[in-house]
């Protein structure tokens, strides 16, 4: 059973602080193993990539069969349930149309001195998308990563997805196909990250690697960071639902469980101003757990990390929400819009009683790759901005150089950088 | 002497590829030491922070004297050369006015189904700015990091700057004061990063850490990434100058040396379509080196990493520039504007014969914190965007949920996530 906290209790601050500090992830120390894997793939290329893949994924590939053939995409599409394909198409189109609004505008202007300044955005040339294998091999995540990259204008998008025991989720190929990605390799783990970062004979290197993965993938991304760009290192998922007593406890319980079923380390939190409602939701969670296919995962998550926090007024929840900085924040009460405007730290906000977070996982149009583990305090969900970069532009004529040059020389000299000073002075005959 | 490459030579591709792969940094393996330092500061707080600081910086501080007192800022300002202060003020104002244009706009709209979507930007609450000590303690870098954070709306900006042997560059305090930063601690290295990330009794923790540092600082930033946000890990600086024979060789030589004097690992590259001009620039570099205060550093950089590349046409240089992905790109020829438009991978472009890169270091208004070591292929210079984060907004009513719900249910079921499906179905009475 999840913990219950009463915000008016004398020890609340202490208990809430301890709750925030609870570590939900065992941080495996895999750095050394990962370092070896990366070094070997760098040195030996395909030979190492194939050897690791066959050993770790119990697979039987050669350099020639690492890449998924063109026909496999068509086969997967033809074999898929049409309703699923249609839903993926709807998701793709809604993600594309929302993310198009995120394309940043170039800027170029002249200031009062006549200095021209600018910012110009261009797409990253090539991006690698890591897709986990096994049960967490989600076609929706393929869309959430690949579609924004496409919208940004990335020319080459490469998917690395392990095929443990030779099994690849066909819906991953369908999603790739619908997103317009045709370069997919059956590789995973640190060896896949190494291949994407440094390249092998078969896999050309990319400039940036995105997508979630296990501890090995996360450690490998950290290690290749700098050689290539990486996105955030994702932790287990979480939801904070703020709800009043006018909700159906069954609805809110279902939302808490949707998060909990992801992972035993996922976290579901309810804040309510109605203690009786909180108890009703907890009871509904227990009832629903009995019917869930992933009951084991969900019940471990709810038992170990779930929480019901009772506050005197829902408005008080804003302060707590900002400290929790949840990946997902659901606001299920009438004044949701006003409260949403006051929240600062949240990856995504789902407003009102008819916006379950699950809509955002699939077909809302916004991205489901969001900052976890309190990182909404300093980072954002995945967007088109993750697939573009900005070049700044500066242009002076003789007059502008005369106007700004002396100050640049003064600062260069103050910093002891004589050649800096000279590079301006020589042009001004100083 | 720098190397000379001829792009028409039969072995050019090979030599250019080798040139690109040249490692300019010795990557010290300091991970283990840094891990210990961070763990001790986390456990022991101020006691460890003070102990490390006094030992490593040969300092004599207590928890009570870690923070720079208010009077020290005023004293530094009063003692500074007025011309330097005026130049810093000009730089601050120009940086502020340029960076204000980078503030992202919120977005909120309703799509054809009546679904409301949005993106809302908020400032990060608190940011730590690392400033190196010793000779690389640059007041201009304080402005380049602190002013964008101020423009973004960050309420709490904290500077950590080591004071080796008790010495603090007073211009760092002046720049902090001009940027409106009043919380400055005399701490550096991995211990400073640990204090900023985890907090001590004296230093409250921040949500993100930015700014350059040595190998220990870089390793510490990597290790605390996730607990807090970090900016890019900066490598040694570089410039690529593309110039035709109509330039004064002395001007171009001065620009190459301005980069080279930063660091023995800095890199200065000239691409020209005029071999004779290339030779004249190299000769001018040698002449100027004799008069430089930092001749030793600059000449080591030029000797070990400098290059002159001769191409048949300047237009050919675009392809090479994109592969080099320089931090700074100077275009000193008449058609600079046209060529600039074609370049994709560059941190900043300086257009025309009267825009030496040094202007951008100080008073151009654009940021001088730019992607090094070919990372302009996937990342951007520092901007207001580094100090804000985006919350996505989704809002459905019953009608919208009826329209999108079935597709969400289909995808949840295809992914084997029963509680996800139920969280939508329960609201639709399915």
């Amino acid at each position: 059973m999840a913990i219950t906290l009463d915000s008016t209790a004398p020890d609340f601050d202490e208990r809430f602080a301890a709750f925030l500090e609870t570590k939900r992830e065992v941080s495996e120390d895999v750095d050394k193993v990962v370092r070896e894997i990366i070094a070997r793939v760098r040195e030996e290329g395909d030979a190492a990539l194939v050897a690791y893949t066959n050993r770790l994924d119990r697979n039987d590939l050669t350099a020639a069969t690492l890449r998924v053939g063109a026909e496999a995409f068509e086969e997967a599409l033809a074999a898929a349930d049409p309703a699923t394909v249609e839903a993926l198409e709807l998701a793709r189109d809604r993600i594309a149309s929302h993310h198009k609004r995120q394309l940043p505008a170039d800027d170029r202007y002249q200031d009062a001195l006549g200095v021209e300044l600018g910012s110009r955005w261009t797409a990253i040339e090539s991006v690698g998308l890591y897709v986990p294998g096994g049960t967490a091999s989600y076609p929706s995540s393929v869309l959430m990563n690949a579609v924004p990259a496409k919208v940004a204008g990335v020319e080459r998008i490469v998917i690395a997805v392990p095929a443990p025991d030779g099994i690849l989720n066909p819906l991953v190929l369908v999603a790739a196909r619908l997103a317009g990605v045709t370069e997919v390799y059956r590789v995973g783990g640190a060896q896949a990250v190494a291949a994407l970062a440094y390249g092998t004979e078969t896999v050309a290197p990319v400039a940036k690697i995105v997508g979630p993965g296990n501890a090995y993938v996360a450690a490998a991304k950290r290690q290749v960071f700098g050689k290539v760009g990486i996105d955030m290192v994702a932790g287990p998922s979480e939801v904070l639902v703020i709800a009043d007593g006018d909700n159906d406890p069954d609805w809110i319980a279902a939302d808490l469980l949707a998060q909990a079923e992801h992972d035993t380390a996922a976290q579901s939190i309810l804040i309510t101003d109605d203690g009786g409602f909180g108890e009703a939701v907890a009871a509904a969670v227990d009832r629903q757990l009995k019917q869930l296919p992933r009951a084991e995962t969900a019940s471990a998550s709810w038992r170990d990390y779930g929480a019901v926090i009772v506050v005197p007024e829902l408005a008080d929840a804003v302060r707590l929400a900002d400290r929790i900085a949840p990946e997902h924040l659901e606001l299920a009460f009438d004044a949701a819009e006003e409260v949403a405007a006051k929240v600062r730290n949240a990856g995504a906000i789902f407003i009102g009683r008819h916006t379950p977070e699950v809509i955002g996982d699939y077909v809302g149009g916004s991205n489901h790759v969001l900052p976890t583990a309190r990182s909404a305090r300093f980072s954002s969900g995945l967007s088109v901005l993750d697939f573009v970069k900005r070049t700044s532009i500066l242009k002076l004529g003789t007059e502008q150089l005369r106007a700004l040059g002396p100050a640049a020389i003064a600062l260069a000299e103050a910093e002891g950088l004589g050649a800096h000073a000279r590079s301006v002075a020589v042009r001004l005959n100083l």
Side-chain angles (χ1 to χ4, degrees), chain A:
Chain A
M1 169 54 200
I3 60 162
T4 302
L5 300 174
D6 174 351
S7 81
T8 62
D11 64 347
F12 175 76
D13 285 348
E14 211 173 305
R15 290 189 69 192
F16 184 70
F19 173 72
L20 283 184
E21 289 299 318
T22 308
K23 265 190 97 69
R24 290 187 280 139
E25 263 186 312
V26 188
S27 51
E28 291 176 69
D29 190 7
V30 297
D31 274 350
K32 195 158 156 276
V33 180
V34 166
R35 206 173 296 280
E36 283 166 21
I37 294 174
I38 294 175
R40 251 194 79 191
V41 172
R42 269 186 85 170
E43 272 169 44
E44 301 171 25
D46 278 347
L49 181 61
V50 168
Y52 279 120
T53 298
N54 287 343
R55 179 153 65 84
L56 298 170
D57 296 341
R58 302 161 303 280
N59 222 322
D60 190 27
L61 297 168
T62 64
T65 58
L66 284 178
R67 181 164 174 178
V68 174
E71 71 297 344
F73 295 91
E74 303 311 321
E75 281 168 24
L77 187 58
D81 170 24
T84 307
V85 175
E86 211 175 297
L88 284 171
E89 284 170 337
L90 175 69
R92 175 198 60 193
D93 295 344
R94 292 189 57 85
I95 297 166
S97 90
H98 178 64
H99 284 72
K100 275 179 192 154
R101 300 177 70 102
Q102 297 172 344
L103 277 164
D106 289 350
D107 187 24
R108 180 86 184 244
Y109 66 100
Q110 212 173 62
D111 70 12
L113 291 176
V115 176
E116 285 186 49
L117 295 107
S119 297
R120 199 185 60 198
W121 294 89
T122 46
I124 296 173
E125 289 165 341
S126 55
V127 167
L129 162 53
Y130 190 89
V131 177
T135 50
S137 201
Y138 296 134
S140 59
S141 293
V142 172
L143 295 181
M144 291 290 177
N145 281 275
V147 173
K150 273 278 169 196
V151 168
V154 176
E155 285 97 342
R156 181 170 165 249
I157 304 173
V158 186
I159 289 178
V161 54
D165 301 304
I167 296 164
L168 200 58
N169 180 351
L171 288 177
V172 163
L173 296 185
V174 172
R177 165 78 166 66
L178 296 181
V181 178
T182 55
E183 191 176 346
V184 177
Y185 298 93
R186 294 180 186 86
V187 294
Q191 58 276 16
V193 174
L196 290 171
Y198 292 99
T200 68
E201 300 89 324
T202 301
V203 184
V206 299
K208 184 165 183 171
I209 301 175
V210 301
N214 64 16
Y216 292 83
V217 172
K221 280 170 66 181
R222 265 178 206 261
Q223 288 183 24
V224 300
F225 174 46
K227 168 70 185 172
V228 298
I230 62 168
D231 62 346
M232 66 189 101
V233 175
S237 204
E238 73 251 347
V239 71
L240 167 60
V241 181
I242 305 181
D244 63 15
D246 291 343
N247 287 282
D248 183 333
D250 250 345
W251 293 18
I252 302 301
D255 298 349
L256 296 171
L257 286 169
Q259 205 60 38
E261 76 173 336
H262 268 300
D263 190 340
T264 55
Q267 183 165 54
S268 303
I269 308 168
L270 168 66
I271 298 184
T272 181
D273 58 352
D274 182 334
F277 175 74
E279 284 167 29
V281 170
V285 164
D286 289 340
R287 272 198 314 275
Q288 291 185 28
L289 267 173
K290 291 182 187 127
Q291 305 158 18
L292 275 190
R294 294 169 66 95
E296 207 175 325
T297 302
S299 86
S301 156
W302 178 245
R303 178 192 66 220
D304 296 338
Y305 305 114
V308 176
I309 302 175
V310 183
V311 294
E313 308 258 352
L314 286 186
D316 301 338
V318 170
R319 193 177 54 86
L320 301 181
D322 273 341
R323 290 185 61 195
I324 294 169
E327 181 188 10
H328 307 105
L329 174 61
E330 218 178 278
L331 303 178
F333 49 92
D334 292 342
E337 194 72 68
E338 290 79 353
V339 168
K342 290 182 190 145
V343 172
R344 180 160 180 171
N345 298 331
I349 303 180
F350 303 86
I351 297 180
R353 306 180 200 274
H354 304 281
T355 316
E357 179 275 324
V358 167
I359 292 295
D361 284 343
Y362 294 117
V363 290
S366 50
N367 210 292
H368 81 196
V369 181
L370 293 165
T372 57
R374 307 188 61 212
S375 63
R377 291 172 301 126
F378 54 80
S379 62
S380 311
L382 197 73
S383 78
V384 166
L385 292 176
D386 292 292
F387 299 104
V388 294
K389 66 236 168 32
R390 188 177 37 81
T391 297
S392 73
I393 311 273
L394 197 60
K395 184 179 182 180
L396 279 68
T398 48
E399 207 179 311
Q400 289 75 38
L401 189 61
R402 266 198 302 273
L404 292 180
I409 294 171
L411 291 174
E413 283 172 350
E415 292 186 349
L417 297 173
H420 278 62
R422 197 170 191 289
S423 143
V424 177
V426 71
R427 287 175 164 85
L428 297 176
N429 287 319
L430 295 176

